[in-house]
C-alpha cells in the first residue's frame, strides 16, 4: 500500500473566512445598519453617573435597598422572594408580592457578583437609558428609516421627564419601563404590515410581559393607548384578523405575567395598596400657563409644590412637535402621503393629550375617571406617554415626500441634494440643542451612603423612622391593614411598651431551624394553643403543625 502527499492546487485551497474576518463582517453589518448610533447618542445621558457616589433623588435609596435585599435572597437560595424579612423594622414586608421585580434583577445580579448595591443601581440606570434608546431607534427605523430612528431615539432619551425619572425622582422601575413602550408600538405596527404576523404577536406578548414585570402603573397607562392605536389600524386597513391577533398577543403577555398580577389581585386588599384610589392628584395638576418651560436650558423642578408644574414640557419638545405637525400638514396639502404618517399623527395626538392630562383643566377628567386614574398617584406620570408620542411623531421629519428614505440617504446619482442636506443639518442642530438643553442642568448631588449601609438595615430603619415610613417605601403601601399602630410610630421606642397579655400557659418552645422566609419551632411539651411571632401577618403565611395545615391570623 502506497500513499503520497500532494500540495493542493490553488483551486483546492480552503477559502472559508477566518474568525477575525467573520467578526469584521458582522461589525460591518452592524455599522451599516446604524445600530451603533443610538448607543453613541445615549452616552451623554450617562454622564451624571460618572460622578462619585450615588446621587440624591426622591426614591433612589429605596431601590438600592431592594437591590441589596434581592441579591441577599439569591445568596440564600430564594430565586423569587416575595418577602423581604429585613424590611419593616424586621417585621418583614412582601414587597415583590405587590410590586414588579424585573427592574431590580440587573442590579441584584451585579451585587450578587460582588459589585456594591449603589454602583449596581447606577449600572441599572445606564442600562435603562441604552435599552430605551435602542427600542425607540428600532421603532423609528421600522417606520421611517434610519434617520427617523435616530430622531426618535434622541427625543425619547433626552425628554426631560425621562431624565428626571432617573436623576431627580430616582424612580428606577418607571425608568426601566421606558424600554418596553416603543417595543409594543413597533410589534403592533409589524403585525399590520408584515406577511407573517406570528413573530410580531409573540414579540408583542414578550414586551407586554416585560412591562408588567417592570412597572404596574405604566402598564395601566399603556393599555388604552395601545388599544386605541390597534383599533385605528384595524379600521384603516380592514385587517380585523390582525387586530384580534394583537389582542391575542396581549392576552398571552398577561398569561406570561400571571405569577405577578394574580397574587396582587387576590391579596392587595389586605395591605395599604388596597386602601383605594387617592385624590392627591388635585394638588399636583399644573396650571396651564406653566405646562411649557421656555428657558433655554431646562430647569428641573424650578417651582416645586402644590399648584406648580413640577415636570413641564421643554421648549425643544414643543419645537419638535411643531415641526412634525408642519411636516404632516404640508404633506397633506400637497396630497403626497408620507410613510408612517398615521403613526406620526397618532403620536402627536398622544403627545398633546398626555401633556394636557397633567394640567389643571383636566381636573374634570380626573374626577370622572378617579377609580382608575386615582391609582396613578401623580399626574406627571402621563409625561411617559408624552415622551412616547413625541418619539412617534419626530421620526417623520426624516422622511422624503413619496418615499421612505431619510434626508441623509443618497440620491439616485450617489449624491445628497442641497435642500435635504440643509434640512438634515437643521434637524441635527435641533437634536444637539435638544440633548444639551435637557441634560445641562440635571441636578445630580452625591448622597452619603456606604456599601455597608446599603447591605445592612440600620440606615434603612433610621431613614424610615425619621420619615415616619415602614419598609423603604412611602404611604405604607405594603403595610398590612391589620396593623393598628400608626406607621410613623412603628420605628420609634415607646416608654412602657408591652406585648399585650402574656400567653397562658406560656409555651415551652425552641427554634429548630431558621430559613430565609421560614422557621421551624420545636415544642418541649404538648403544643400550646397559641404561638405568637413578632412578624407582620401577611396573606400568604402558611403554618403547619406536625405536617397538618393550621390557621394563622394577625
Amino acid at each position: 500500500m502506497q500513499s503520497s502527499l500532494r500540495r493542493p492546487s490553488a483551486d483546492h485551497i480552503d477559502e472559508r473566512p477566518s474568525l477575525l474576518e467573520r467578526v469584521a463582517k458582522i461589525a460591518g453589518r452592524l455599522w451599516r445598519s446604524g445600530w451603533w448610533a443610538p448607543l453613541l447618542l445615549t452616552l451623554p445621558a450617562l454622564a451624571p453617573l460618572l460622578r462619585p457616589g450615588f446621587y440624591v433623588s426622591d426614591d433612589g435609596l429605596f431601590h438600592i435597598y431592594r437591590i441589596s435585599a434581592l441579591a441577599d435572597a439569591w445568596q440564600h437560595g430564594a430565586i423569587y422572594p416575595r418577602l423581604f424579612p429585613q424590611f419593616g423594622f424586621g417585621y418583614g414586608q412582601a414587597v415583590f408580592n405587590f410590586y414588579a421585580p424585573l427592574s431590580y434583577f440587573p442590579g441584584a445580579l451585579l451585587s450578587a457578583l460582588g459589585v456594591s448595591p449603589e454602583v449596581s443601581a447606577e449600572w441599572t440606570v445606564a442600562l435603562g437609558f441604552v435599552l430605551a434608546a435602542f427600542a425607540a431607534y428600532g421603532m423609528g427605523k421600522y417606520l421611517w428609516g434610519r434617520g427617523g430612528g435616530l430622531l426618535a431615539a434622541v427625543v425619547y432619551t433626552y425628554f426631560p421627564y425621562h431624565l428626571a425619572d432617573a436623576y431627580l425622582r430616582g424612580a428606577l422601575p418607571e425608568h426601566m419601563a421606558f424600554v418596553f413602550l416603543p417595543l409594543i408600538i413597533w410589534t403592533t405596527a409589524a403585525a399590520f404590515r408584515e406577511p407573517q404576523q406570528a413573530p410580531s404577536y409573540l414579540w408583542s406578548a414578550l414586551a407586554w410581559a416585560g412591562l408588567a414585570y417592570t412597572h404596574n402603573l405604566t402598564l395601566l397607562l399603556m393599555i388604552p393607548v395601545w388599544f386605541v392605536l390597534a383599533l385605528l389600524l384595524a379600521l384603516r386597513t380592514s385587517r380585523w384578523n390582525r387586530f384580534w391577533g394583537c389582542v391575542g398577543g396581549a392576552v398571552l403577555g398577561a398569561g406570561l405575567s400571571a405569577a405577578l398580577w394574580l397574587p396582587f389581585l387576590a391579596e392587595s386588599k389586605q395591605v395599604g395598596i388596597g386602601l383605594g384610589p387617592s385624590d392627591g392628584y388635585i394638588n399636583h395638576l399644573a396650571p396651564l400657563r406653566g405646562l411649557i418651560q421656555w428657558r433655554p436650558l431646562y430647569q428641573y423642578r424650578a417651582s416645586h409644590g402644590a399648584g406648580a408644574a413640577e415636570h413641564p414640557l421643554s421648549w425643544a419638545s414643543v419645537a419638535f412637535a411643531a415641526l412634525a405637525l408642519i411636516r404632516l400638514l404640508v404633506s397633506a396639502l400637497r396630497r403626497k402621503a408620507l410613510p408612517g404618517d398615521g403613526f406620526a399623527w397618532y403620536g402627536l395626538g398622544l403627545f398633546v393629550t398626555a401633556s394636557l392630562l397633567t394640567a389643571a383643566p383636566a381636573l374634570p377628567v380626573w374626577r370622572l375617571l378617579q377609580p382608575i386614574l386615582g391609582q396613578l398617584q401623580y399626574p406627571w406620570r402621563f409625561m411617559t406617554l408624552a415622551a412616547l408620542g413625541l418619539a412617534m411623531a419626530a421620526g417623520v421629519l426624516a422622511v422624503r415626500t413619496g418615499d421612505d428614505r431619510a434626508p441623509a440617504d443618497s440620491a439616485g446619482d450617489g449624491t445628497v441634494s442641497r435642500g435635504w442636506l440643509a434640512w438634515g443639518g437643521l434637524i441635527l442642530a435641533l437634536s444637539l440643542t435638544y440633548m444639551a438643553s435637557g441634560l445641562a442642568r440635571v441636578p445630580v448631588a452625591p448622597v452619603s451612603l456606604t456599601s455597608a449601609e446599603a447591605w445592612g438595615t440600620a440606615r434603612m430603619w433610621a431613614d424610615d423612622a425619621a420619615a415616619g415610613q415602614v419598609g423603604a417605601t412611602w404611604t405604607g403601601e405594603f403595610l398590612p391593614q391589620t396593623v393598628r399602630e400608626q406607621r410613623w410610630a412603628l420605628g420609634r421606642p415607646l416608654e412602657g411598651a408591652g406585648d399585650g397579655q402574656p400567653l397562658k400557659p406560656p409555651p415551652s418552645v425552641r427554634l429548630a431551624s431558621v430559613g430565609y422566609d421560614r422557621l421551624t419551632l420545636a415544642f418541649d411539651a404538648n403544643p400550646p394553643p397559641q404561638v405568637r411571632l413578632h412578624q407582620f401577618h401577611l396573606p400568604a403565611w402558611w403554618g403547619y403543625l406536625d405536617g397538618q395545615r393550621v390557621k394563622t391570623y394577625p
Side-chain angles (χ1 to χ4, degrees):
M1 181 180 234
Q2 295 181 345
S3 63
S4 62
L5 295 176
R6 293 189 305 171
R7 185 176 183 178
S9 63
D11 295 336
H12 294 86
I13 295 178
D14 188 0
E15 296 181 354
R16 289 178 298 178
S18 65
L19 177 61
L20 183 61
E21 290 173 332
R22 293 177 183 176
V23 171
K25 188 175 182 180
I26 294 173
R29 288 178 179 176
L30 289 175
W31 180 267
R32 289 190 296 273
S33 70
W35 282 97
W36 53 271
L39 177 60
L40 293 181
L41 289 171
T42 307
L43 292 180
L46 312 184
L49 300 175
L50 300 177
R51 303 177 187 180
F54 199 72
Y55 48 87
V56 176
S57 58
D58 295 344
D59 298 342
L61 289 184
F62 296 169
H63 303 303
I64 291 178
Y65 293 137
R66 292 176 189 177
I67 285 173
S68 63
L70 179 58
D72 179 67
W74 287 352
Q75 291 171 347
H76 284 84
I79 303 302
Y80 189 173
R82 297 184 181 272
L83 171 75
F84 286 158
Q86 67 270 50
F87 276 37
F89 306 110
Y91 290 106
Q93 286 197 299
V95 176
F96 285 166
N97 205 48
F98 309 107
Y99 201 82
L102 185 59
S103 57
Y104 302 109
F105 280 26
L109 178 61
L110 291 174
S111 295
L113 295 175
V115 181
S116 64
E118 62 274 18
V119 173
S120 299
E122 290 184 315
W123 275 98
T124 305
V125 171
L127 179 66
F129 274 121
V130 172
L131 293 181
F134 277 133
Y137 175 77
M139 176 193 71
K141 183 175 184 289
Y142 183 79
L143 294 174
W144 302 291
R146 280 182 292 180
L150 291 176
L151 284 176
V154 166
V155 300
Y156 197 59
T157 300
Y158 295 91
F159 193 82
Y161 184 72
H162 194 179
L163 295 170
D165 239 7
Y167 296 126
L168 188 69
R169 298 189 62 232
L172 182 61
E174 187 172 284
H175 168 70
M176 295 297 290
F178 273 83
V179 175
F180 297 97
L181 307 189
L183 296 179
I184 292 173
I185 301 298
W186 183 1
T187 55
T188 302
F192 281 89
R193 286 185 170 188
E194 299 299 326
Q196 298 294 329
Q197 305 93 50
S200 301
Y201 301 151
L202 178 59
W203 285 113
S204 177
L206 294 175
W208 279 114
L211 181 58
Y213 273 109
T214 302
H215 195 240
N216 317 43
L217 297 181
T218 305
L219 173 68
L220 181 66
L221 286 170
M222 190 60 188
I223 290 174
V225 169
W226 163 82
F227 185 81
V228 171
L229 175 64
L231 188 62
L232 290 175
L233 288 172
L235 290 171
R236 186 175 185 179
T237 62
S238 298
R239 295 179 172 179
W240 289 98
N241 59 326
R242 302 197 177 194
F243 170 78
W244 292 113
C246 290
V247 172
V251 172
L252 177 59
L256 294 173
S257 58
L260 173 73
W261 57 264
L262 279 178
F264 176 86
L265 292 180
E267 301 171 359
S268 60
K269 295 292 184 183
Q270 302 184 47
V271 296
I273 294 176
L275 292 175
S278 168
D279 61 357
Y281 58 83
I282 296 175
N283 297 324
H284 295 283
L285 288 168
L288 191 58
R289 65 182 182 277
L291 189 57
I292 303 173
Q293 187 181 120
W294 298 105
R295 303 183 183 189
L297 298 180
Y298 190 86
Q299 185 170 346
Y300 292 84
R301 211 168 260 176
S303 53
H304 180 53
E310 298 197 33
H311 299 286
L313 298 170
S314 68
W315 70 267
S317 299
V318 176
F320 261 112
L323 283 174
L325 177 60
I326 294 171
R327 187 79 178 88
L328 290 169
L329 289 176
V330 170
S331 175
L333 290 174
R334 292 179 176 178
R335 296 183 180 180
K336 294 183 178 180
L338 293 171
D341 57 351
F343 288 92
W345 279 113
Y346 184 81
L348 279 177
L350 178 59
F351 172 75
V352 173
T353 303
S355 300
L356 290 177
L357 282 172
T358 68
L363 181 58
V365 178
W366 279 84
R367 283 179 170 161
L368 178 65
L369 302 177
Q370 181 170 330
I372 299 175
L373 297 184
Q375 306 290 342
L376 300 178
Q377 299 174 315
Y378 305 115
W380 57 66
R381 294 191 193 276
F382 275 99
M383 283 297 173
T384 303
L385 297 182
L388 175 65
L390 187 61
M392 292 177 65
V396 78
L397 295 173
V399 179
R400 293 190 188 189
T401 304
D403 64 38
D404 59 354
R405 289 179 296 179
D409 288 346
S410 60
D413 57 357
T415 63
V416 179
S417 64
R418 292 183 179 180
W420 281 106
L421 186 61
W423 179 253
L426 174 63
I427 297 300
L428 177 61
L430 185 58
S431 298
L432 294 176
T433 303
Y434 190 93
M435 295 166 60
S437 65
L439 189 61
R441 303 188 68 173
V442 170
V444 179
V447 64
S448 174
L449 180 73
T450 66
S451 294
E453 289 173 330
W455 280 110
T457 60
R459 170 71 181 268
M460 175 173 61
W461 292 0
D463 289 344
D464 279 351
Q469 301 298 334
V470 185
T473 185
W474 291 106
T475 68
E477 55 190 350
F478 307 129
L479 185 66
Q481 294 193 34
T482 53
V483 175
R484 301 304 180 192
E485 184 57 86
Q486 295 293 323
R487 69 173 184 267
W488 55 263
L490 288 177
R492 303 178 185 181
L494 181 65
E495 292 293 335
D499 192 28
Q501 295 296 321
L503 298 179
K504 294 181 180 180
S508 179
V509 63
R510 57 186 170 83
L511 284 173
S513 65
V514 179
Y516 179 80
D517 57 357
R518 65 197 63 205
L519 57 84
T520 303
L521 304 177
F523 301 106
D524 295 330
N526 292 329
Q530 279 189 327
V531 174
R532 182 181 298 157
L533 302 180
H534 290 264
Q535 194 86 24
F536 285 149
H537 184 268
L538 300 167
W541 274 127
W542 288 0
Y544 295 89
L545 180 61
D546 294 332
Q548 298 296 317
R549 179 86 175 266
V550 294
K551 184 180 179 181
T552 63
Y553 51 90

